[in-house]
Amino acid sequence: MSLKDTVVFITGGSRGIGEAIAVRLAKEGASIAIAAKTADPNSKLPGTIYTTAKAIEAAGGKALPVQCDIRDEEQVQRAIDQTVAAFGHLDVVINNASAIFLESTEQTPAKRYDLMHNINGRGTWLVTKLALPHLKKSRNPRVLTLSPPLDMSPKWFEKAPAYTMAKYNMSMLVVGHAGEFAKHGIAVNGLWPYTVIETAALNMISQSKSKPNLRTPEIMADATLEL
């Protein structure tokens, strides 16, 4: 499989699953724009857009690190414009950026609720919307969003309803955009792990290392490549 001449725009790829996906696609020759907020090192969370860019180049791909807050329309538009200016076109959008806060309604501050919904749902919608004019021109356009299958079982809502709702906003966009963009030949898919994926961000909010059956971000990268 070769992704030579394929240009990929990944949100939130400065670490974890996003970085793993970027490196895996780079091994197949893709050119990748990393659009994320982290440009400066953080003592609690390793990785920046620049460290990911180095990893992409070391894997054989071309990299464009772009500092971008996907809640800001002007920043997103500028990041997409920079990507097309650097690589000539845009073929794939991977909506990886996401905010998480796994608490009950009582324990969830309003600002956390707003953050999750602005990044997860609105951010995914905004990135996809602004990339659409370029995807329409691609020979093999694709949108991949990292979000769960829609399941209305109470067990997915009762522990952290605000987070589940925020992620399901992304999932509903997968369903909606798959139908809406079909006439343009744009493939739209969602991807979600069957088991918990161990990342630095997850370890900050839970004792994930004590949980069984943890997988590494690379399994998500392999699945992304297959899609």
Side-chain angles (χ1 to χ4, degrees), residues 37-108:
K37 289 200 305 177
T38 307
D40 299 314
N42 186 311
S43 59
K44 295 181 179 179
L45 286 173
T48 69
I49 54 176
Y50 302 112
T51 57
T52 297
K54 289 182 179 179
I56 290 169
E57 292 170 349
K62 297 179 181 178
L64 176 68
V66 183
Q67 187 173 22
C68 177
D69 184 341
I70 65 170
R71 294 172 294 177
D72 188 305
E73 183 176 0
E74 290 185 1
Q75 289 189 38
V76 174
Q77 186 65 69
R78 184 164 58 247
I80 290 174
D81 290 345
Q82 288 178 324
T83 300
V84 174
F87 300 127
H89 56 99
L90 177 58
D91 305 296
V92 179
V93 168
I94 298 180
N95 292 304
N96 167 71
S98 185
I100 183 171
F101 193 75
L102 299 174
E103 293 292 347
S104 66
T105 296
E106 191 172 27
Q107 297 299 319
T108 301

Side-chain angles (χ1 to χ4, degrees), residues 156-208:
W156 299 117
F157 291 88
E158 59 192 13
K159 293 182 179 180
Y163 173 67
T164 298
M165 291 167 60
K167 290 302 293 187
Y168 275 17
N169 281 338
M170 299 171 71
S171 304
M172 287 188 287
L173 285 171
V174 172
V175 177
H177 287 163
E180 182 183 3
F181 302 161
K183 60 180 177 288
H184 302 301
I186 302 173
V188 181
N189 290 282
L191 178 64
W192 195 245
Y194 187 74
T195 60
V196 176
I197 304 297
E198 184 174 2
T199 64
L202 180 65
N203 286 330
M204 281 189 65
I205 62 173
S206 69
Q207 297 298 318
S208 62

